[in-house]
Amino acid sequence: MNANPALPGAALRPGAARSHSEISAFSRNVLAVLDRTEYRRVEGGEDLEDIYRLRYKSYRAADMVSEIADQTVHDSLDGLDNCYRFGVYIDGNLVSTIRIHHVNKAHPVSPSVTVYGDILKPRIRAGDTFIDPSRFAADPEWSQIYPQIPYLTLRIAGMACFHFNAPYCLSTIQEDHTGFYRRIYMSEQIGGLRDYPGLNYPVVLYQANVHAIEERSFVRFPFFRSTRMEQRLLFDRPVTGARAPLTVLPTAGRSERAA
């Protein structure tokens, strides 16, 4: 349910990118698919219905949720002012989706806060800010073709951390997924097993410190890099009368090639 990388997405710095020969085969494979990827922030219309249906399709395939008559998954948290919903497209095909909440004193509500409020609310009142990714869902068929999808999708959460200057990224996840978050994001458990509304399994709460893992992560996983412009296009709200960009092209691959 909740997917979170804390590291992906700090702004590129001069001289930070490395030569193609220094990048691992794994990272080259992710970068190659990233070149064919588009991100779309979804505010409404058919795109929104598409990602709600994708959530259901993904979750039912994994028996995460029970049957729902309209075959969509959404909740009241989707309508909050601090919520950002994204579709991820490869060659024009919707392959995954993720939801981001930026949590602070002004906007203290998010999926993780609803379950772990006793842990998180005192920190929010003390001034801590969080990125809380949730509703990560990948199309089961496309996932067989592109195992890189989780990295392409979770990259968005890291960009949110740097755009909003939020040092902590939360993960409310299944217990058997914790090894991935510890290994890739050096996340640490801060909350025990609890029920999450609507899910067929309990969750645990993990946290990653973006700044503590930034340099290590970019060396190992250069596809997590991004520019400030990409971050602004994804997360800045358009001024009244202006339209948000239809799609945003990731910048990590182009920056690596330019090095």
Side-chain angles (χ1 to χ4, degrees), residues 18 79 99 102 106 120 130 150 193 199 216 219 236 242 254:
R18 299 175 298 147
R99 176 175 74 179
H102 174 215
L120 297 173
F130 303 91
L193 279 172
L199 294 185
R216 166 191 176 275
V219 170
D236 279 358
R254 293 193 296 277

Side-chain angles (χ1 to χ4, degrees), residues 51 54-55 86-88 95-99 135-138 153:
I51 67 171
L54 177 55
R55 291 176 183 176
F86 296 94
V88 179
V95 299
S96 64
T97 180
I98 196 168
R99 176 175 74 179
R135 295 302 190 200
F136 168 65
T153 310

